[in-house]
Amino acid sequence: MFDDYSDAIRRMALEAYPCEGVLLITQAGARVVRNTDPDPENAFRISTADWQQAMTEGLLAVVHSHPDGPDCPSAADMQGQRDTAVPWGIVSCYDGERCGPPFWWGEGIPPDPLIGRGFRHGVTDCYSLIRDYYRLELAIALPEFPRDWEWWRSGQQLYLQGFAEAGFSPVSQAAIRPHDVFLCQIRCDTPNHGGIYLGSGLALHHLTARHPVDASRLSHREPISRWQNHISHVLRHHSLAGEP
């Protein structure tokens, strides 16, 4: 979608290293802007003047770099994307000499296929799969949950709180129906994984990886019985409550 700007994005990241660089794409083109955050090696901030100019030109996307990774968004990045409602891109820069390819997420970015997508926390992880499934298969828009990698290790109840706010209510495991969400606790005291029940004993899910990015960890279908001992909750969206 923004392939024409790949070279400019890499230059921005290399020139800013070891700080986070920022580039705004507008209808007028791509423009590098100054990172005004007081801790520019770990965060970025854009001045009011640069924001106003970008909005006047017609903001299309926000891009920033992650010096030495990680190659996934932070909760703050996800919140920023949600607030601006335009695509965001991240490019990781290593040693000030090498850059990975930029990746994109957010409004206007076509989703990957539901089956066979690689794992990237916050972009193509278990909740992203649930969210894309509901939008593509049921035309139900679920909110984004801004989240940091391994959020579950800090005791957050992200899924229980988030799904309740998104209009889901618990049902018994015995009453599970197609399109219901199941939550699992995997080596954790709080639900930290989720998937979709497809019916006929099959589940669709995207298991987390040891690292925030793992292209070999693919979303897939498999018997839900394999996760029976880990399931802590079954949830149903309010719009589906009356269906048989």
Side-chain angles (χ1 to χ4, degrees):
M1 187 174 184
F2 297 106
D3 291 345
D4 291 346
Y5 299 105
S6 294
D7 289 342
I9 292 170
R10 289 188 175 91
R11 284 197 302 272
M12 170 272 293
L14 291 170
E15 291 173 2
Y17 188 89
C19 297
E20 293 192 9
V22 190
L23 180 144
L24 300 179
I25 300 175
T26 71
Q27 293 179 7
R31 179 167 56 90
V32 175
V33 299
R34 187 168 67 91
N35 181 355
T36 62
D37 195 274
D39 183 17
E41 294 186 9
N42 297 293
F44 79 94
R45 187 178 300 174
I46 300 170
S47 70
T48 300
D50 282 328
W51 269 122
Q52 289 176 342
Q53 181 175 344
M55 297 304 292
T56 299
E57 294 174 351
L59 181 66
L60 299 178
V62 176
V63 191
H64 72 286
S65 61
H66 277 183
D68 300 316
D71 210 20
C72 71
S74 65
D77 295 334
M78 298 182 73
Q79 183 65 54
Q81 187 284 314
R82 192 171 72 170
D83 291 345
T84 57
V86 298
W88 277 41
I90 291 176
V91 57
S92 290
C93 183
Y94 303 95
D95 305 323
E97 298 179 358
R98 299 172 292 115
C99 285
F103 68 88
W104 303 88
W105 84 97
E107 304 297 325
I109 301 299
D112 289 341
L114 295 177
I115 297 176
R117 55 172 66 179
F119 183 86
R120 189 188 304 273
H121 186 260
V123 179
T124 48
D125 57 13
C126 68
Y127 179 65
S128 300
L129 183 66
I130 294 170
R131 191 166 177 251
D132 288 342
Y133 175 92
Y134 265 72
R135 178 161 63 92
L136 296 173
E137 300 296 324
L138 303 172
I140 296 174
L142 301 183
E144 184 62 279
F145 303 160
R147 52 200 180 274
D148 286 314
W149 170 240
E150 295 189 324
W151 53 266
W152 53 92
R153 297 192 183 279
S154 62
Q156 295 181 53
Q157 296 288 342
L158 178 71
Y159 280 174
L160 290 181
Q161 294 173 359
F163 276 108
E165 294 171 1
F168 286 80
S169 299
V171 298
S172 69
Q173 290 192 39
I176 194 169
R177 298 193 316 219
H179 312 312
D180 285 346
V181 170
F182 62 92
L183 301 181
C184 296
Q185 293 179 204
I186 302 175
R187 297 185 295 275
C188 188
D189 294 331
T190 185
N192 60 345
H193 178 59
I196 301 288
Y197 181 61
L198 300 175
S200 301
L202 289 177
L204 172 68
H205 71 124
H206 201 168
L207 193 62
T208 189
R210 291 180 178 271
H211 304 286
V213 179
D214 186 343
S216 69
R217 179 76 79 171
L218 305 180
S219 58
H220 63 284
R221 290 178 296 194
E222 66 176 354
I224 196 171
S225 58
R226 296 181 180 178
W227 296 94
Q228 203 67 47
N229 293 334
H230 298 283
I231 294 175
S232 60
H233 297 78
V234 175
L235 307 173
R236 184 168 298 152
H237 193 264
H238 67 85
S239 66
L240 305 175
E243 295 189 0

